[in-house]
Amino acid sequence: MFRSHTCGELRLHHVGTEVTLAGWVQTVRKFGSITFVDLRDRYGITQLLFGEELNQQLDENPLGREFVLQVTGKVTERSNKNPNLPTGDVEITVSSFKVLNKSAVPPFTIQDDTDGGDDLRMKYRFLDLRRNAVKKNLELRYAVNRATRDYLHQQGFMDIETPFLIKSTPEGARDFVVPSRMNPGQFYALPQSPQTFKQLLMVSGYDRYYQIVKCFRDEDLRADRQPEFTQIDCEMAFVEQEDILNMFEGLIKFIFKHVKDIDYTEAVERMSWEAAMWNYGNDKPDIRFGMKVANLKFPSHTFPSKENNSNLIDSADFKVFDEAETVVAIAVPGCAEYSRKQTDELTEWVKRPQIGMKGLVFIKYNADGSLKSSVDKFYSEERLKAIADFAEAKPGDLILILAGAEERTRKAISELRLEMGKRLGLRKEDEFKLLWVLDFPLFEYDEEGNRWVARHHPFTSPKPSDIETMIGNNPVIENAAEYLKHPYANIKANAYDMVLNGNEIGGGSIRIYQRELQEKMFAALGMDKEEQQHKFGFLLGAFEYGAPPHGGIAFGFDRLCSILGGSESIRDFIAFPKNNSGRDVMLDAPSTIDDKQLDELNIKLDLK
Amino acid sequence: MFRSHTCGELRLHHVGTEVTLAGWVQTVRKFGSITFVDLRDRYGITQLLFGEELNQQLDENPLGREFVLQVTGKVTERSNKNPNLPTGDVEITVSSFKVLNKSAVPPFTIQDDTDGGDDLRMKYRFLDLRRNAVKKNLELRYAVNRATRDYLHQQGFMDIETPFLIKSTPEGARDFVVPSRMNPGQFYALPQSPQTFKQLLMVSGYDRYYQIVKCFRDEDLRADRQPEFTQIDCEMAFVEQEDILNMFEGLIKFIFKHVKDIDYTEAVERMSWEAAMWNYGNDKPDIRFGMKVANLKFPSHTFPSKENNSNLIDSADFKVFDEAETVVAIAVPGCAEYSRKQTDELTEWVKRPQIGMKGLVFIKYNADGSLKSSVDKFYSEERLKAIADFAEAKPGDLILILAGAEERTRKAISELRLEMGKRLGLRKEDEFKLLWVLDFPLFEYDEEGNRWVARHHPFTSPKPSDIETMIGNNPVIENAAEYLKHPYANIKANAYDMVLNGNEIGGGSIRIYQRELQEKMFAALGMDKEEQQHKFGFLLGAFEYGAPPHGGIAFGFDRLCSILGGSESIRDFIAFPKNNSGRDVMLDAPSTIDDKQLDELNIKLDLK
């Protein structure tokens, strides 16, 4: 061992002990004939004192930043203590030292506030990882990993490894594929998730399975998506939805406790998908704050159970509202005194292409009870008051109204709500609010193919009460224009998402376990019997041999860690992430391979 | 929840309780108007009693093997207890039941001694996994996983995930590659091990790293090799070989204790590579038994430090020995009375192509002290006695002697020793004997390329005392015939293998951490500067920024589990293994993919 203690270990009670430390030179400060060095390792920083007798050696061979140093010396009490450092009461009076390895001058400083840009830090990721800020993230990630395993172990789950070289069954996302040298012309696929394997394990009787496992999706990368990502993947047999919800809110609460020391004792709120869309315009609402959406106008098919409220805005000759499919509002607390400049800026904000609105209507509900709006021409103060009341605004609030096509407008009001919540400091980094979103639609309509697509995935079960509707009807959509009238349009899924502070951190479902129902599902997705057999014959086969009722969930591990760490970027929580082109710039991968390799794999390049 | 208890849970103290169980029908036994059903789940088997009033329902809809059944009833004490079953004191008097799912008749019986052949069981792996024998293996695997994580966590190791989509740097084994759609003409590789990443993590200061991680090698599969396999991968910084040996024999002892309840308190034996080859003909000797090799004759370069003993067999005009490069013997205890038939059979055994010997010489050291051999014509009884003494034979032993070319003969005597050990019951399944093999040669000679290859891998450090030899000499071999005289031929590695009962379960090394030495190593392997930079530029670069001394080890997780489970087949310990052609016969993978997929990946098939 090159050390007797770590650089984070020594305290006052060690004073007088002879110790050996090894680590990296963080700083060198020379004061006349003595030199102070801060020595850093994974555990902390310890101050070293080089006295006169060693200074000549240092002069001849100066220490540089990031040199690897081994020192031996006596622990001494510091006259000038540093209360910000756990080791700040002591220093090492060095008696001998050895440079274990030199370092070139690093391309950026190894500090929390580094001077390195993103590209440089990714190229030299091995140096970036030395920074305390990054190290804390990886430590948090490991703590979440450990807590997850501890909880699931206590609950009787078994970690069972599923294969990485599997069969390509693209459904939704693209597979990464791996040419097989031993089976010319054939390919493995890398798993997008262990979905079918964990279901097979349920058929096999391993009734509580989990894995923390890499998954792969060959998608065009958006910011903060990675081609390889990690899932906490779980499945249970002989359970109903309620059992899964309880088990896995238990997991997240356990993680809160063991990683963040937060007692999350309250029950996790539950909300139907419809309520989430109605109240927040979003299926993963941030419920740390209110500011719910007021639905002034909407197409009746979107919320069949809700009454329309367009009378509040109708008959005013205001074309923008009259011609809009959807008109929605939020009441922003305490912002009635926004200046013209501020409302103009908000208008510009909603007109950005990412939001895509044509404009913004606002009503100021002044503290004195009077109302003033950008549409005074069309609406009397009385009508404005009615709208404000409908939006549950209080004096002092600013009501923001968006109008346009349903889907885009609902998304826009959701974004605007989140933005206003952020500006008002309502989205507190240290406040955590969990939510289950339930009762999703089972299908979405695919216009291009005039067919159904599975909203979650093709293995998700309908609600028990909808099974008959599904079995008893032909999934084919005869009349594309009236797809909404097809009985499948209203089938609800036995699916659930867990949302944390407005982020979907996990999702799952009770699965189909009957061959007939699974075949019906595949047929709804446009797969004929032959394709079903080719792609999923093993699963349909398994369902014939005593498949138990089962269900599960998968959590996005990278995302979960980043939220717990208070960051928006998952890359900060991955040791060796890829950039937005799917490249590892440190390795310079992907890269070309030898002709011999291609030849052995029976493939050749076909560049356009 | 479909059950109140599991099928392994109920005991006498539950008698009188109303319970609900769910599981699979193991057996159905009808006795007149009552029916007994054994219900099975992951946790055990519970007997169900269906009385008269339910029997009509059973008659109308008979239960079959592997049906999924939910029953409710009262726990009752059995009149006819089954002491072999933990639940054998009780049964459930069923009051109501529901068939949750039917099952077709399984293609083989779900029992320890199944009637299913290997191919059938692999095709229906989801049924094979229901068998208790397979379930026990996966449970053991999870227990080893859990114990490994517990120990390493206690020792301050962090689980840090390394990427799966990396750069192809084939060195030794072939890489599996993954075409990149977003980077046309370029490929990722799947990692053969996280070797370079864990070294980068040491450079980054994460001084105790581990992972239980999938690795990939595209090799021609031999029996019991898998294209994807799992490693316990570990690395430590600021350590010397001794620290690693201590840390990881601690790990294996911890696993013994927590998985097998074995107190392995003795120190793990250590042996140099040379001693292993000398005494056992093998670098992973099974030291559960003796029967050490007696080296009668050998080429002097193979064991430069050893004296030759050919005087014992010389000058007898026995051509077989005279012309052989190597003559080696073992004394098999208590087998002097082997019949002619038995010695003939042994001769046939060593002549099999897998062993490849031309014949077998034997000496019977009879209980009365007389000696009889198959070479009596050439050797007097006195000389036979001298050979027997040299082989440390005792009266009653059978001495077996092999002669031939060094490498093949040494391997053959090793195989023969293991075979005789097995036949004599000396390789006990429940006895575990660990061994460190140390001081391996750093290089092997590659005749084809007239260059060196790394025996372990190119990141393994030479012994500190050999570093100067390595730095100070040109690695190029000027004279192929005299490669043994090259200074590199005698360099020893700072490498170690852990051997358990004759199987290498782990191996590792202290790594090179100096750029200059690493470049020299790459040069020795025939890599020019450009190739070094292309393949390993990131690592050489990292070594310039303060790389600490470090080393590590990797354990073959599948193999470790199979040995602990007392099986020779790793496939029995993998949930979804591949066959010897690298196929998953259950999934039918690999398989062809769509032209669209090929097109998007910018590749086409090039079948010969």
Side-chain angles (χ1 to χ4, degrees), chain B residues 240-370:
Chain B
E240 289 154 313
Q241 176 170 300
E242 187 65 26
D243 305 309
I244 305 241
L245 302 188
N246 290 328
M247 179 62 73
F248 292 100
E249 61 187 68
L251 168 63
I252 301 298
K253 288 177 177 182
F254 188 92
I255 291 172
F256 276 135
K257 180 66 195 162
H258 288 83
V259 176
K260 305 283 292 182
D261 198 24
I262 292 172
D263 288 299
Y264 197 107
T265 47
E266 72 235 65
V268 173
E269 216 173 295
R270 298 179 184 193
M271 192 182 288
S272 73
W273 174 83
E274 192 178 89
M277 295 304 289
W278 178 258
N279 289 314
Y280 300 94
N282 193 313
D283 62 3
K284 44 177 202 268
D286 185 344
I287 57 167
R288 281 176 296 183
F289 65 104
M291 225 189 281
K292 287 187 190 174
V293 175
N295 291 277
L296 291 160
K297 188 177 172 187
F298 56 91
S300 59
H301 74 260
T302 50
F303 298 98
S305 69
K306 300 287 186 184
E307 257 177 66
N308 228 309
N309 304 288
S310 55
N311 60 307
L312 290 167
I313 48 170
D314 279 351
S315 324
D317 278 336
F318 183 46
K319 273 202 177 162
V320 172
F321 286 177
D322 289 348
E323 288 170 4
E325 192 177 28
T326 292
V327 181
V328 280
I330 51 172
V332 185
C335 292
E337 297 192 13
Y338 261 30
S339 67
R340 174 68 184 263
K341 197 176 148 200
Q342 284 175 299
T343 53
D344 281 356
E345 189 270 331
L346 280 182
T347 305
E348 287 314 306
W349 193 90
V350 301
K351 285 164 89 174
R352 295 179 319 145
Q354 299 95 308
I355 307 294
M357 290 287 99
K358 294 219 176 84
L360 175 71
V361 170
F362 63 86
I363 303 173
K364 292 178 174 178
Y365 192 176
N366 297 315
D368 64 5
S370 68

Side-chain angles (χ1 to χ4, degrees), chain A residues 294 296 309 311-313 321 329 331 361-376 378-399 401:
Chain A
L296 292 159
N309 304 287
N311 61 308
L312 289 167
I313 47 171
F321 286 176
V361 171
F362 63 86
I363 303 173
K364 291 177 172 179
Y365 192 176
N366 297 315
D368 63 5
S370 67
L371 294 112
K372 182 96 190 91
S373 89
S374 58
V375 286
D376 282 350
F378 304 100
Y379 295 96
S380 65
E381 195 164 349
E382 198 181 338
R383 292 201 75 181
L384 292 178
K385 177 73 168 53
I387 296 171
D389 286 347
F390 182 72
E392 294 180 13
K394 287 184 293 289
D397 291 357
L398 174 70
I399 297 117
I401 309 176

Side-chain angles (χ1 to χ4, degrees), chain B residues 42-56:
Chain B
R42 174 180 151 199
Y43 310 91
I45 285 181
T46 300
Q47 179 164 296
L48 313 177
L49 168 63
F50 291 79
E52 271 180 70
E53 58 290 2
L54 292 176
N55 249 323
Q56 198 184 337

Side-chain angles (χ1 to χ4, degrees), chain B residues 16 23 50 55 82 99 155 217 222 231 233 235 273 323 415 428 463 481 483 499 519 522 551 560 593 598:
Chain B
F50 291 79
N55 249 323
N82 179 350
V99 172
Q155 299 293 334
R217 266 175 221 177
R222 297 197 306 244
Q231 257 180 215
D233 193 53
E235 197 80 4
W273 174 83
E323 288 170 4
E415 294 292 334
K428 299 195 193 87
K463 292 274 170 208
Y483 78 90
V499 175
E519 286 178 335
F522 286 143
L560 177 61
I593 59 173
L598 290 174

Side-chain angles (χ1 to χ4, degrees), chain A residues 1-3 22 24 42-43 66 68 100-105 126-127 129-130 135 138 141-142 145-146 149-150 153 156-165 167-168 174 176-179 181 183-188 197 200 203-208 214 216 218-220 228 230 238-240 243 513 538 542 544-549 557 575 578 581-583 586-588 590-591 597-608, chain B residues 1-3 22 24 42-43 66 68 100-105 126-127 129-130 135 138 141-142 145-146 149-150 153 156-165 167-168 174 176-179 181 183 185-188 197 200 203-208 214 216 218-220 228 230 238-240 243 513 538 542 544-549 557 575 578 581-583 586-588 590-591 597-608:
Chain A
M1 204 69 90
F2 283 79
R3 63 189 175 200
W24 286 265
R42 174 180 151 199
Y43 310 91
E66 302 304 317
V68 186
L100 297 174
N101 216 343
K102 294 187 176 187
S103 174
V105 176
F126 51 86
L127 294 179
L129 288 169
R130 284 188 192 162
K135 193 189 72 182
L138 294 191
R141 186 181 177 108
Y142 177 50
N145 179 324
R146 182 76 192 161
R149 294 184 187 280
D150 283 347
H153 181 74
F157 285 77
M158 270 174 78
D159 179 346
I160 303 177
E161 295 162 67
T162 53
F164 279 72
L165 297 173
K167 184 168 176 159
S168 185
R174 270 187 217 90
F176 279 107
V177 298
V178 182
R181 183 178 55 86
N183 301 276
Q186 301 191 348
F187 294 75
Y188 301 100
F197 293 100
L200 290 176
V203 175
S204 299
Y206 297 79
D207 57 6
R208 297 189 169 195
K214 273 283 173 77
F216 305 86
D218 184 12
E219 290 302 286
D220 296 323
E228 53 176 306
T230 306
F238 300 117
V239 290
E240 290 154 312
D243 305 309
Y513 66 102
F538 61 96
E544 288 191 53
Y545 291 99
F557 188 61
K578 295 190 174 51
S581 322
R583 293 198 71 80
M586 180 188 71
L587 296 183
D588 192 23
S591 63
Q597 282 175 283
L598 290 173
D599 189 57
E600 285 185 334
L601 295 171
N602 299 288
I603 56 173
K604 53 184 174 188
L605 298 185
D606 181 28
L607 299 171
K608 276 96 199 174
Chain B
M1 203 70 89
F2 284 77
R3 62 188 175 200
W24 286 265
R42 174 180 151 199
Y43 310 91
E66 302 305 317
V68 186
L100 296 175
N101 217 343
K102 293 187 176 187
S103 174
V105 176
F126 50 87
L127 294 178
L129 287 170
R130 284 188 193 162
K135 192 189 73 182
L138 293 192
R141 186 181 176 108
Y142 176 51
N145 179 325
R146 183 75 192 161
R149 293 183 188 280
D150 283 347
H153 181 74
F157 284 77
M158 271 173 79
D159 179 346
I160 303 177
E161 295 163 67
T162 53
F164 279 73
L165 297 173
K167 183 167 176 161
S168 184
R174 271 188 217 90
F176 279 106
V177 298
V178 181
R181 183 179 54 86
N183 301 276
Q186 302 192 347
F187 294 75
Y188 301 101
F197 293 99
L200 290 177
V203 175
S204 300
Y206 297 79
D207 56 7
R208 296 188 169 195
K214 273 283 174 76
F216 305 85
D218 184 13
E219 290 302 287
D220 296 323
E228 53 177 307
T230 305
F238 299 118
V239 290
E240 289 154 313
D243 305 309
Y513 66 102
F538 62 96
E544 287 191 56
Y545 292 98
F557 188 60
K578 295 190 172 53
S581 321
R583 292 199 71 80
M586 180 188 71
L587 296 182
D588 191 23
S591 63
Q597 282 176 284
L598 290 174
D599 188 58
E600 284 185 334
L601 295 171
N602 299 288
I603 56 174
K604 52 184 175 188
L605 299 184
D606 182 27
L607 299 171
K608 276 98 200 173

